Amino acid sequence: MRGKKALLALAGQPNCGKSTVFNALTGASQHVANYPGVTVEKMTGSYRYDGMKVEVVDLPGTYSLTSYSPEERVSRSFLLHDKPSVVVNVADASNLKRHLYLTFQLMEMGVPLVVDLNMMDVAEKRDIDIDTQELSRQLGVPVVPTAIKQGRGKKELFKSINSVAGSERSPEPFHVDYGSMEPYLTEIENEFSKNGVLSKDYPGRWLAIKLVEGDNEARKLIREHHSTPGKVLEFIENKRQEFESKHNEKPERHIAFSRYKVADTISRSCIKPRAVSKQPLSDRADAIICHKFLGPLILVGVIYLLYYLSIVQGYNITNYTWPLLAKIRSITESFLPAPGFIDTPLVRSMTLWFVDSINALLNYIPIFFILFGLIAILEDSGYMPRMAFILDRIFNRYGLHGQSTLPMVLGGIYIGGCAVPGVMSCKGIPCERARFATILTIPMLNCLAKVPLYVLMINIYFAEYKGPAMFFISTISLLMVLPVAKILTRTVLRNKDTSPFIMEMPPYHIPTIRGVLGRAVERVWIFIKKIITIVAVIAIVIFILLQFPGLSDERKAYYDTEKDRAIAGFYQKIEENPYAEYVQGGNLMALVLYWDKYKNAKMMAKGKEAASAVNEKFKAENPAFFTIVQPKRDKEAKSVNKAFKKLFSARKKLLREIKKEKIDNSFLGRIGRAMEPYTKYAGFNWRVNVSLLASFAAKESSVATLGALYEQEVEGESLETRMEKGEKGFTALHALALMLFMVLYPPCVATSIMVKIQTGQIRWMIFSMAFPIVLGTCVATLIFSGGTALGLTGLQAMIAFYCLALAITIGTGFIKNKSKTT
Amino acid sequence: MNLDDLRPGSECLVKRLHAHDKLGQRLMDMGVYPGLAMKVIRNAPLEDPMELELDGYYLSIRHEEARFVEVERR
Ligand SMILES: Nc1nc2c(ncn2[C@@H]2O[C@H](COP(=O)(O)OP(=O)(O)OP(=O)(O)O)[C@@H](O)[C@H]2O)c(=O)[nH]1
Ligand SMILES: [Mg+2]
């Protein structure tokens, strides 16, 4: 057996432990969760056992192998075309009958099979006593009992796999007897097997069964490979009708029912009858968890806890991790060329911008880690399907799905979420249309990064109604998400597949620490790998758009003269001063940097001791500079200090003016200005435009850019006062329009990438960015132009809009859903 | 009588599936077939969906889907 290679596929119904088996075999750490449909695409890994190198493919869980759902098509086409040398059919021992239904279908496909009868521990706990030898005898394939979570039966499984993969002969498969259908099957098989190609590549009986079931993919096979497809297909259609009229039953029904009948007989003969069936613990728990009144209460509690632990407590942790990131920044800074008096080297400003952008995202990692850990607990415990069960009624009305609950919670259904994990967790929603509707609307919820702008606006323009204004902005997003989801499902998503809700409610499990931590780490890693790289690129692009083309030579010359004048003035003032010799030539810039560093260090130092330590350090570094910075009683030093302070603030002013002029003049600034004629109806001037454009990389930067645009006139003046002063014409109505636009702001780069990953198409990513822009502009225009025309105040407009949104939400809730199900 | 007419606590036998295509297939694949005995466990707090027990496992299903399952009371 040495040096042999094998391809192994894991197949089975959802939630029976395939991924757990996969991890046990390969030592990998794949997504495992206690709800059906976690693995939606196939995953690969490999291991070596007793000289055999085995490539393992974890297929998505499927209840059956028809061609209705994408997962079933993926699994089926893998089994047919990749010809695995062994297929491990993982089955749930506590639920044998239903799992045999799939086992039969696998056997019909003629693949070499090992049945892994998993969850033996659960079966034992429920007093289900299975005679696995008898089962193996009846099925004609090896049956290995395992409780793979505890590692039980792993070795036997390895051995069984090797012996099936190593043996050449394919065993005579067990046949389900389809009774009155059998003659039809034989006839159909004979009909198409006259053509050699098909029967060589595909098991004849299987193809006959699929054709009589009316399976689309099987018909396609005939069309592609048969020489006279039209004739064959017509023959089959006639046979189908003949059967239906004779037996008053659709052929596909008859086939499914026959499988269940055989499964029932086999499972009865292999399971010793139980003494008494007691009510399982999970059901007793559900009596409380899904209770009419307690259920929703518990749900609110769970959601609150999720928020509290991740967003609130996670945010507190960032207080400790932020200094680490700041440290990274300052270390980077120390390697960069020092800034000049008024011109900062490009490498420096670009690198720092880059680090700042990345840091802004890295700062979320503690929050994400806790969040992902908690989600893993929810997933493992089995609470997720209950959440879906409780809320499906509401979400279903708006074209969403019970399982949209978690993504919505993560996206920030009240205030403070993040669209990235929200979109990421849409994967489990089984109905395609609802999944798309959820993915597309999540970015409209209130992510953490939108909050600073809200706070800024509310503090300036709604200062007297802070509470109500905050409530408005926190809840309005949901009132827009629901109708928008509904509208999307009725329009662009109209043709997406829907699927029935029918969902298994798995028994509760106790999550394992290892599983939970593993998954949290893994998801954070995905975030870092997939998101941060692209954000880095976009950050650079935005930087370039904000910095270039830069100042004209003329303006540069102007600023140079200004600089020279300020410096000359300074030297003149200290001409006779003994300290003047310390600040000649290059030393002047050194003092500027020293001064800056000292001020920063002093600001960071908390308490008397720390402050005096800073003093000692700077004194040792440069005693003469220190005396200038801290002149105490030294008269001459004092006058240098005074003159220098003036010079220092003159420099700051110049820097600020340059920065502003650069942005004014930049590509982004020009775009912002070019848009002003249109955006003015929404109440946005060009500065607001620029800050909105710059927010695309990450919304946090909206406030930062506004900060740069509304320069400080007085040291330490807050942005609130600056904006108020800088924008005399700005009213609460402007602010409201801006806030609502922010609610509807297109997904940030990170989220857009997630949308692309989850929808699999760039098209949808672009759509997810385009429609919020249109919608946001409409809403902002409605607020601003409409409000102005009606002479409403900001508060009145706010109330009016809230009522409108509420009415639309309730109204759209009554429109009937059109489903494509039946 | 159809499945969606049943109140929580009632037990029934499946007589026939009236759904075609996807819903019918899905029902069969999840183990709902004529002759099967099942029990309605509860309705969700907002009435819809409903939870069923069949053969020792639990399914939730919307009323609009349960409508297509013809049953008789036991
Ligand atoms: N008690 C017990 N639980 C198990 C066993 N094997 C797996 N589980 C649990 O069953 C749940 C489902 O396991 P997964 O490995 O995610 O199942 P899956 O078949 O990959 O599911 P999908 O990807 O959704 O098709 C998890 O909570 C596992 O921890 C077992 O042998 N005994
Ligand atoms: Mg899985």
Side-chain angles (χ1 to χ4, degrees), chain A residues 12-21 31-40 58-62 90 118-122 125 146-150 379-380 509:
Chain A
Q13 296 201 344
N15 211 36
C16 60
K18 289 176 302 303
S19 298
T20 318
V21 173
H31 274 205
V32 174
N34 188 17
Y35 65 84
V38 178
T39 312
V40 286
D58 185 16
L59 295 175
T62 55
V90 184
N118 194 29
M119 308 255 185
M120 284 304 279
D121 54 323
V122 181
K125 240 181 253 156
T146 63
I148 210 74
K149 204 170 159 190
Q150 285 91 17
E379 285 179 343
D380 257 7
H509 286 306

Side-chain angles (χ1 to χ4, degrees), chain A residues 386-545:
Chain A
R386 274 75 185 182
M387 239 155 127
F389 181 68
I390 294 173
L391 285 179
D392 182 65
R393 173 76 181 268
I394 299 178
F395 281 128
N396 184 26
R397 277 188 173 259
Y398 295 96
L400 301 170
H401 189 277
Q403 290 187 19
S404 306
T405 315
L406 184 81
M408 292 279 166
V409 168
L410 297 179
I413 227 169
Y414 189 61
I415 207 153
C418 179
V420 177
V423 173
M424 213 160 155
S425 62
C426 288
K427 214 174 184 169
I429 303 173
C431 170
E432 195 181 12
R433 188 199 277 172
R435 185 171 64 243
F436 273 72
T438 316
I439 292 174
L440 293 176
T441 46
I442 279 184
M444 292 166 55
L445 293 166
N446 282 321
C447 79
L448 272 175
K450 290 179 181 175
V451 179
L453 183 78
Y454 298 155
V455 172
L456 179 72
M457 290 293 140
I458 289 175
N459 276 337
I460 308 176
Y461 298 102
F462 295 93
E464 286 159 58
Y465 317 99
K466 272 187 196 157
M470 215 52 208
F471 175 80
F472 165 82
I473 205 72
S474 319
T475 50
I476 193 76
S477 60
L478 188 63
L479 291 185
M480 294 205 270
V481 161
L482 294 178
V484 168
K486 179 80 171 204
I487 292 164
L488 289 177
T489 29
R490 299 289 306 244
T491 55
V492 281
L493 299 175
R494 198 179 51 237
N495 293 322
K496 286 269 162 222
D497 268 1
T498 58
S499 42
F501 176 73
I502 314 171
M503 174 182 72
E504 203 181 339
M505 304 272 264
Y508 291 100
H509 286 306
I510 295 183
T512 59
I513 294 174
R514 196 175 151 259
V516 168
L517 286 182
R519 202 121 33 91
V521 170
E522 186 197 357
R523 284 186 182 161
V524 167
W525 181 235
I526 292 180
F527 172 76
I528 294 177
K529 229 175 27 187
K530 293 209 168 153
I531 305 285
I532 300 219
T533 44
I534 300 181
V535 168
V537 175
I538 302 281
I540 299 286
V541 171
I542 299 233
F543 175 82
I544 292 170
L545 288 177

